[in-house]
Amino acid sequence: MIAKMADKSALLLLLILFFIGCGKNTQQDTDTGSSDADSDSDSDSDSDSDSDSDSDSDSDSDTDSDSDSDSDADTDTDSDTDTDSDTDTDTDTDTDTDTDSDSDADGDTDCPGVCVGQGECRTMNGTYLAEYTCPADSPICCDTGTTDADSDTDTDTDTDTDTDTDTDTDTDTDTDTDTDTDTDSDSDTGSNEPQMHIYLALGQSNMQGAAFLPDTPVFHERVEVLQGQNCPQDGNPTPYGEWREMFPPMIKCKEGTRDYSSTGGDSGPIGLGPADSFAVTMAEAAPENVTIGIVGAAYGGTDIEWHLPNCSGTCLPDWGSNVDGAPVTNGTTLIYNWIVDLAKKAQQRGVIKGIIFHHGENNSGDPNWLNNVNTLVTSLRNDLGLDPAEVPFIAGELPYTGCCKSHNTLVQQIPDRVENGHWVSAGPMPDGTVLGDRGDSLHWSTFSVIEMGKRYAAKMLEVGNY
């Protein structure tokens, strides 16, 4: 029994030793594989996903299974989102102010202004030119051998906004936004389009036109008149509210002839007012594309109160009559409504640039005259949509040889009472020549009314908006 158990024990021991031996051999075989799993993941996130998974399985029998899957997932979306936002905002503001002062001393006759006032020469903007002379037979002052200073200010503002948003998503979104804004602002004197500069001529008989007509007509081809009354009896076919060429009278219809030869004056047809020479002088001074438009609404023998918008009762002289064609209210032509009606018709064609005014004989010395004049001017500017700063109001003195010269002290106060208000003198010429009346101690003589028109123009050129 004991011998059998010993045999079994020996057999069991042999089995254990056998299994131990087998385990060692298995470990040695497995060790020869040297798993070189060189997982070179090199995640080069240049978005360049260079995964370089170099699976070098070096099985020592040099199988070199170099599976080099080189997962270089170079998703060359080259999302080189190199958001090279290179917002190259190249704002090349090339302000090329080319002041081309072209001084051309060519010896030609140069006529840069008009003769006004006391024989002075003025440019369109009112600047005095002492070196120029005023010939006796022309309203234009000239000189010879002058230099033609052609100052051409060429402001070339070249705003080159080169917004180069180079979003290089190797879809190469090269958004080259080239906004080449070339603002070439060349300030050369303005447009050559035809224009009309309109002037209102208001007041009483001296503005209406009571001087004798001159031997040589006062005329300019670039002056037009808005017909302010139907005058078929004068042989004038132009209806109320229509434009016509320049001829006297500029305002209302003809009023026949007068004879003052017995008192040293003249005789003959009347109808010349300061608006005639004013218009010619303004046309001579204006560029050739500008036409001067005269809107006359002056009525002789009228009080200033009759010109106001609230006039009621007596609003015309006893001897007067309605203006044919003008609006009528309660059977009467109201002067204010007449002015506004004509002015609005004129605004359909051009721009109102100023107002000239002669009044005072009917209100000579009346201190309320100034307040009433201001009411008239303010009302007109409001109702016509005029900016006071851009539309000067100019009043003229009364003849110093006439009945009402004392009223001139009130005329001289216009700048203090009327916004952008001015006045012109009726004083003598530089050589002492007096501006006088036609022989009735009331209305201008021909020479004097022509000179007064030039003085109105000189002041308008000085203070106007051009």
Side-chain angles (χ1 to χ4, degrees), residues 130-319:
E131 68 272 25
Y132 293 89
T133 58
C134 292
D137 59 346
S138 171
I140 304 303
C141 40
C142 302
D143 194 12
T144 54
T146 56
T147 58
D148 193 69
D150 187 38
S151 172
D152 188 352
T153 308
D154 187 34
T155 309
D156 187 39
T157 310
D158 191 76
T159 310
D160 190 10
T161 310
D162 195 330
T163 310
D164 194 296
T165 310
D166 197 338
T167 311
D168 205 297
T169 315
D170 226 315
T171 334
D172 228 318
T173 314
D174 201 68
T175 315
D176 203 311
T177 315
D178 192 30
T179 314
D180 200 52
T181 312
D182 193 322
T183 311
D184 193 344
S185 123
D186 190 4
S187 65
D188 204 320
T189 55
S191 167
N192 286 324
E193 290 297 315
Q195 302 175 35
M196 176 174 273
H197 291 179
I198 297 165
Y199 299 91
L200 308 185
L202 313 178
Q204 51 187 120
S205 55
N206 267 321
M207 181 61 77
Q208 179 181 332
F212 291 107
L213 298 180
D215 295 333
T216 302
V218 178
F219 176 79
H220 196 286
E221 66 276 2
R222 282 191 290 108
V223 173
E224 292 186 29
V225 178
L226 189 66
Q227 186 67 28
Q229 184 176 10
N230 290 320
C231 302
Q233 69 278 13
D234 296 344
N236 178 359
T238 306
Y240 174 88
E242 297 290 333
W243 291 99
R244 63 169 172 85
E245 67 175 356
M246 177 185 188
F247 56 79
M250 300 268 273
I251 304 172
K252 296 188 68 185
C253 301
K254 293 180 181 179
E255 294 204 346
T257 62
R258 302 289 188 276
D259 186 355
Y260 295 103
S261 55
S262 61
T263 56
D266 292 328
S267 63
I270 62 170
L272 187 70
D276 296 68
S277 54
F278 166 82
V280 169
T281 306
M282 294 301 291
E284 293 286 359
E288 290 189 0
N289 63 308
V290 173
T291 297
I292 303 301
I294 297 298
V295 176
Y299 202 120
T302 52
D303 296 350
I304 188 63
E305 293 82 3
W306 302 350
H307 293 250
L308 303 183
N310 59 355
C311 182
S312 60
T314 301
C315 297
L316 291 178
D318 293 340
W319 48 264

